[in-house]
Amino acid sequence: MFEIAEYVGTIAFAMSGFFVATRAKLDFLGVLISVFLTAFGGGIIRDIIVDERPYSFTHDMPAIMVFSIMTLLIVFRFHKKESVENKSWFIISDSIGLVSFSITGAIIALEHDLNITGVLALSFVTAVGGGISRDVIINEVPFVFKTGFYGTVALLVGALLFLLDRFNVIDFYTIMGVFIIGVLLRVVAYYKKWTVPVL
């Protein structure tokens, strides 16, 4: 189930990278890099931190799926149409991806016996590292640093899983509970326009 959620998130992140790149008027190579960075960048950074071979470098399905999505978006000329990033189905898909990637990052950190700092860092980086990398290369302030509760949700998910692990109650059902809470929090925060205070 979480693998399916990650695939949904990967597709949403790839679409986000596509629309950001086309708004910035990048050429085909720029769009390709933006799409792959957004979809896989966080996971690659996470795997390098824990000294593992990046998942996206050893499994073909994620790359095939992302390349297929990009091809469909180009064939159906979505870059000429209104962005779907504000559509309800996209917000929900993106939220599923954000939370599932946050959970993956936190679990991998726990499996490698990292402390609270490591768990929060890997949860955050896995979820939003790709988007940050994408925004940096197109010379924009990263989306996650100026948009509401997006990055905050990743940190909260990581913190919850760290606490569950410390009390030895981490299992499928508690992880599912964190997943549902995280997705609901992100969706509610988006529509209620909750924001982190700006200094």
Side-chain angles (χ1 to χ4, degrees):
M1 184 170 182
F2 286 110
E3 186 174 357
I4 293 172
E6 285 210 356
Y7 284 149
V8 170
T10 298
I11 292 170
F13 284 8
M15 293 176 68
S16 173
F18 178 84
F19 289 116
V20 169
T22 53
R23 280 200 302 269
K25 301 188 184 306
L26 303 187
D27 63 14
F28 180 81
L29 178 60
V31 173
L32 183 65
I33 291 172
S34 176
V35 168
F36 273 78
L37 261 184
T38 310
F40 302 133
I44 291 171
I45 296 169
R46 174 202 66 212
D47 292 340
I48 290 172
I49 290 173
V50 297
D51 198 27
E52 299 281 353
R53 284 186 297 176
Y55 181 85
S56 56
F57 291 173
T58 57
H59 295 75
D60 294 331
M61 181 54 68
I64 292 171
M65 184 172 58
V66 167
F67 190 76
S68 299
I69 291 298
M70 180 178 167
T71 301
L72 289 172
L73 290 171
I74 293 172
V75 167
F76 289 100
R77 301 178 66 80
F78 271 84
H79 54 294
K80 300 292 186 182
K81 299 177 182 179
E82 181 184 355
S83 173
V84 301
E85 290 177 288
N86 293 320
K87 304 293 186 183
S88 295
W89 63 267
F90 182 86
I91 300 301
I92 293 172
S93 299
D94 186 69
S95 300
I96 289 172
L98 171 72
V99 176
S100 61
F101 284 6
S102 301
I103 290 173
T104 301
I107 290 175
I108 289 175
L110 292 169
E111 288 175 348
H112 285 79
D113 297 320
L114 301 188
N115 63 12
I116 180 65
T117 303
V119 173
L120 292 177
L122 260 62
S123 182
F124 184 83
V125 164
T126 306
V128 301
I132 292 173
S133 302
R134 173 203 66 207
D135 292 343
V136 167
I137 66 169
I138 63 175
N139 200 30
E140 287 187 2
V141 175
F143 169 83
V144 69
F145 295 152
K146 58 182 180 179
T147 307
F149 265 57
Y150 200 81
T152 307
V153 170
L155 293 173
L156 290 173
V157 167
L160 282 173
L161 287 173
F162 180 82
L163 290 173
L164 290 173
D165 182 67
R166 283 298 173 268
F167 286 103
N168 294 314
V169 291
I170 192 165
D171 56 28
F172 174 81
Y173 299 103
T174 53
I175 292 174
M176 180 60 67
V178 171
F179 177 77
I180 293 170
I181 291 170
V183 172
L184 288 175
L185 180 60
R186 167 56 189 156
V187 172
V188 171
Y190 177 84
Y191 285 108
K192 293 291 186 180
K193 302 188 185 304
W194 291 349
T195 60
V196 175
V198 177
L199 298 180

